[in-house]
Amino acid sequence: MKKQILTATAALALAGAAHASETIVIDGSTTVGPIAKAFAEYYMAANPEVNITVSESGSGNGAKAMVNGTCDVAIMSRPMKDSEFKAAADHGAQPVAHVVALDGLPILVHPSNPVQDLTVEQIRKIFLGEISNWSQVGGPNKEIVTISRDTNSGTYETFAGLVMNKEKIGEKCEYVGSNGAIRQRVQTTPAAIGYAGLGFVDKTVKALKVNGIYPSPETVQTGEYPIARPLFMYTNGYPKLGSSLYQFMTIHLTEDGQEMVEEIGFVPVTAY
Amino acid sequence: MRLETRKLLDKAFSGLGLISIAVMAIALLLILTPIVWRGSKAFIFKGTIEHRRVMLELFDRGNPEKFNQESADAAAARAPVYQMMEAFEAEMKAMDRKKRKEYKAPFREVENALEELLGPMPGQRTPVLLRQRYGQTRWDRALVKLHETLYSEEWDYSNADAMGVLVEKPRVDFFTGTELEPLFQYLEDYLPEMMQPKTTFYYQFITDKSKDSHIFGGIWPEVLGTIYLTIGAMIFAIPMGVIAAIYLCEYAKEGRIISFIRICISTLAGVPSIVFGLFGLAFFLNTIQVSDSKSVLAGSLTLSLLILPTIIRSSEEAILAVPRAYKEASLGLGASRWHTVLTVILPAAMPGILTGIVISMGRAAGETAPIIFTAAVSVGAPLKIWETLSQPTPALPWNIYNLCTEHEAVDEIRHVQYGMVFTLVAIVLLLNLAAILMRARISKKLRG
């Protein structure tokens, strides 16, 4: 009996190896995650023989996975750094960037917070710790709780570049590991301020105007909203034409793909 | 010590014992009750017509004729809603420009809220995103969305020294005197007819794939992934662990090296699980590259390292507890050492070894940190057995964390999260129960 089971298993394994299904492994940014998940669902519905897995572990991890060759697509909310390109080249990988969507970085506060509008300078000072009370920017007398993404995050890098001018965020800042976690901290902390991707704004948090401009698909698209950035998917080399990976990597160019990007809350690259 | 004092101390001690047991029982109740209560809502809930639509269209389940009947009833109940909206749109067109502009945004909000509640409007193009193709599938969520349709949230910031206060304004006030006014009362009165709620036992929650990252469907990929990872970890850890224990107890000569190895094993048992996770990433994936990407294989190997010390220690204890007389009798009859271990010591030690194994199985099933970097992904298909060698999988512990911290629509799908927690706790409890039963059976058999 045991022998029979063993042979059966072996036969099954061999048969499986003969037509092993195709896989696309995606790793990286928690901002781009919802887009990648929606694309995966969309692609797998039409091509059930392809298994697409998505993990959301941060842009930095996406880049590392690409360098180590443990993913097919690295989703990143920032461009790859020189050091990452170099590491990739040393490992024989050639990362190619595909911009799949545009994203603003809304500054989030609790909806009960009366403050509506901040300048980039004020935000920078808040995160530096120089402004530490909401009353200094026209709010009630409450100490500000700053919440930032961890340094592995592409969203953090964008924020550090566009708002902080590479200055170090103050010591009191709280660091959390994902966009969702930022939203959760802000929606439960009345005095909090944080930042996340456009797709993560819902009615439980309030996005502030920055320099008088409200973060919306239109203002991001026109470049009026000051804290905006493209979202990337990196592949190792340009995908072979006609391959599943190629089809997957061109979804964002199709009308369906753009509708998905838009409905999730981001800005399609060829919008309007 | 005087007799009374002794008695008093005795009573005080038993009282303390009782109290601690009571505290433990309450703590257990406090933890388990919400898990079971909220978790069961993923399986038993009032499902709306939209739930049955999802079941029929995405999972090919249910009776189409009955569904069509219900769907027609629901559509009939919904028709006045759409008529009122059309009438209002016509009314808006007739308004002067300024007034039309005033009504435009609030009307759009009502439209959006209704789309979330009831699904796409008739005649609308089918949305690409699955989540937008259906209305609310659960009655409790439908009530929440109804509330959002009836009331708009505004924040009152008039007190400059304090935080704002939430004010819920009935939307109907804004639309008084227009064609849209009766809509709100109608929604409130006829929601059951529009949604056709019915108590549903969705036991397929465990065996259904997830659709549109857990917004619809079940948790099969996660359950299967957890099973694969646990079994995989056992395949590696049991032989290694038991053989190591036999060696340490029966073959090795006591000495410095052996006691050093024992210390190492104890230390290994105390290493935090995230360290194993990072080690697994660095060693199995990046150095020896057991697979091209994260995979069930790499995750199982990492988990097996994590539970190895437990298995070795518990097996060792079990082997040492076998009476010396058994072994001596066997050896005295001329059996070889190997033969003695295999036919006398191991069977006698089996209950203890099995307990250790099953307890560590529970641990392997529930661990998150070791699989984050080596095996777990947030979305993936259920794997076939040979695909476990090369492909990553979703797994219950990781996906619970992922859903509650990273998912973009977490508030909409709390029930899935609780359902996963419930399922994981049930799996671990069942494993422990199996251990107890197995142990009892084998002990009975041994006693003859």
Side-chain angles (χ1 to χ4, degrees), chain B residues 114-386:
Chain B
L114 270 179
E115 264 171 39
E116 274 185 45
L117 176 65
L118 303 174
M121 311 214 166
Q124 199 188 327
R125 193 172 71 83
T126 318
V128 181
L129 280 179
L130 270 188
R131 64 190 79 168
Q132 292 178 331
R133 280 189 209 166
Y134 303 96
Q136 293 301 317
T137 56
R138 300 166 66 91
W139 181 240
D140 50 345
R141 293 296 312 165
L143 288 177
V144 173
K145 291 291 170 194
L146 172 69
H147 189 84
E148 283 175 17
T149 319
L150 296 180
Y151 298 91
S152 65
E153 283 187 2
E154 276 171 36
W155 292 83
D156 175 17
Y157 301 123
S158 52
N159 184 353
D161 298 331
M163 296 310 254
V165 190
L166 179 67
V167 192
E168 287 197 330
K169 278 195 180 160
R171 286 189 206 268
V172 62
D173 292 355
F174 186 82
F175 291 100
T176 311
T178 67
E179 293 278 355
L180 210 60
E181 188 187 344
L183 174 87
F184 299 94
Q185 193 57 46
Y186 182 86
L187 284 177
E188 218 170 343
D189 294 342
Y190 288 96
L191 192 67
E193 282 78 6
M194 288 190 282
M195 299 304 275
Q196 310 263 338
K198 238 200 252 170
T199 305
T200 312
F201 181 35
Y202 182 32
Y203 58 91
Q204 296 101 331
F205 179 70
I206 291 191
T207 52
D208 272 348
K209 285 188 208 174
S210 103
K211 293 278 176 187
D212 201 0
S213 47
H214 293 110
I215 289 175
F216 304 117
I219 54 171
W220 179 237
E222 284 77 15
V223 174
L224 190 67
T226 305
I227 294 173
Y228 278 147
L229 282 167
T230 315
I231 293 180
M234 289 301 134
I235 290 176
F236 296 116
I238 294 175
M240 279 201 292
V242 175
I243 290 171
I246 293 172
Y247 174 79
L248 285 174
C249 295
E250 298 295 327
Y251 288 83
K253 287 197 181 75
E254 288 300 324
R256 268 200 197 156
I257 295 177
I258 289 305
S259 57
F260 179 69
I261 290 178
R262 285 222 168 87
I263 291 172
C264 288
I265 293 171
S266 305
T267 317
L268 209 60
V271 171
S273 50
I274 186 67
V275 177
F276 281 102
L278 290 170
F279 172 78
L281 169 69
F283 184 69
F284 293 125
L285 281 182
N286 291 347
T287 310
I288 63 172
Q289 294 179 348
V290 293
S291 56
D292 288 337
S293 65
K294 291 180 188 180
S295 68
V296 176
L297 178 65
S300 301
L301 284 167
T302 314
L303 280 173
S304 73
L305 289 185
L306 177 85
I307 55 176
L308 197 56
T310 325
I311 293 189
I312 296 179
R313 290 319 289 257
S314 63
S315 308
E316 235 186 312
E317 296 300 325
I319 291 170
L320 287 175
V322 175
R324 272 188 79 83
Y326 285 24
K327 187 173 147 192
E328 278 160 10
S330 171
L331 291 175
L333 287 172
S336 69
R337 214 179 196 179
W338 174 235
H339 207 84
T340 307
V341 167
L342 216 58
T343 55
V344 176
I345 295 180
L346 268 188
M350 208 33 108
I353 295 178
L354 271 181
T355 316
I357 286 174
V358 181
I359 284 174
S360 41
M361 255 172 109
R363 172 134 195 242
E367 270 295 349
T368 318
I371 58 172
I372 298 178
F373 304 114
T374 53
V377 290
S378 25
V379 173
L383 299 183
K384 311 222 168 46
I385 199 152
W386 56 88

Side-chain angles (χ1 to χ4, degrees), chain A residues 12-13 16-17 19-23 25 27 30 34 37-38 40-42 44 51-57 61 68-71 110-114 116 134 139-142 177-181 183-184 187 190-191 199-200 202-204 206 256 259-260 263-264, chain B residues 125-132 148 153 155 157 159-165 210-213 281 285-286 289 291-294 372-373 376-387 390-394 398 401-411 414:
Chain A
L12 208 66
H19 19 45
S21 62
E22 258 184 282
T23 61
V25 179
D27 199 347
T30 68
K37 285 191 286 188
E41 180 80 30
Y42 174 79
M44 283 196 284
N51 180 18
I52 304 180
T53 60
V54 183
S55 25
E56 297 145 290
S57 50
N61 278 342
N68 289 323
T70 56
C71 73
H110 195 267
S112 71
N113 195 326
Q116 302 282 11
W134 282 111
N141 180 17
K142 265 202 176 232
S178 66
N179 279 285
R183 181 175 63 190
Q184 258 179 17
Q187 74 193 30
F200 287 84
D202 60 8
K203 67 191 198 81
T204 61
K206 184 168 87 176
D256 283 358
E259 184 186 326
M260 281 188 271
E263 292 299 336
I264 293 169
Chain B
R125 193 172 71 83
T126 318
V128 181
L129 280 179
L130 270 188
R131 64 190 79 168
Q132 292 178 331
E148 283 175 17
E153 283 187 2
W155 292 83
Y157 301 123
N159 184 353
D161 298 331
M163 296 310 254
V165 190
S210 103
K211 293 278 176 187
D212 201 0
S213 47
L281 169 69
L285 281 182
N286 291 347
Q289 294 179 348
S291 56
D292 288 337
S293 65
K294 291 180 188 180
I372 298 178
F373 304 114
V377 290
S378 25
V379 173
L383 299 183
K384 311 222 168 46
I385 199 152
W386 56 88
E387 290 169 343
S390 59
Q391 293 188 28
T393 178
W398 162 250
Y401 172 74
N402 178 268
L403 276 197
C404 79
T405 64
E406 278 164 28
H407 200 282
E408 63 273 19
V410 57
D411 293 324
R414 286 278 177 219

Side-chain angles (χ1 to χ4, degrees), chain B residues 50-65:
Chain B
E50 298 295 322
H51 174 75
R52 299 190 279 284
R53 197 189 306 279
V54 169
M55 285 297 116
L56 194 68
E57 287 180 8
L58 300 184
F59 294 98
D60 227 353
R61 189 180 295 143
N63 180 346
E65 277 160 39

Side-chain angles (χ1 to χ4, degrees), chain A residues 29-40:
Chain A
S29 163
T30 68
T31 315
V32 197
I35 299 179
K37 285 191 286 188
F39 283 7

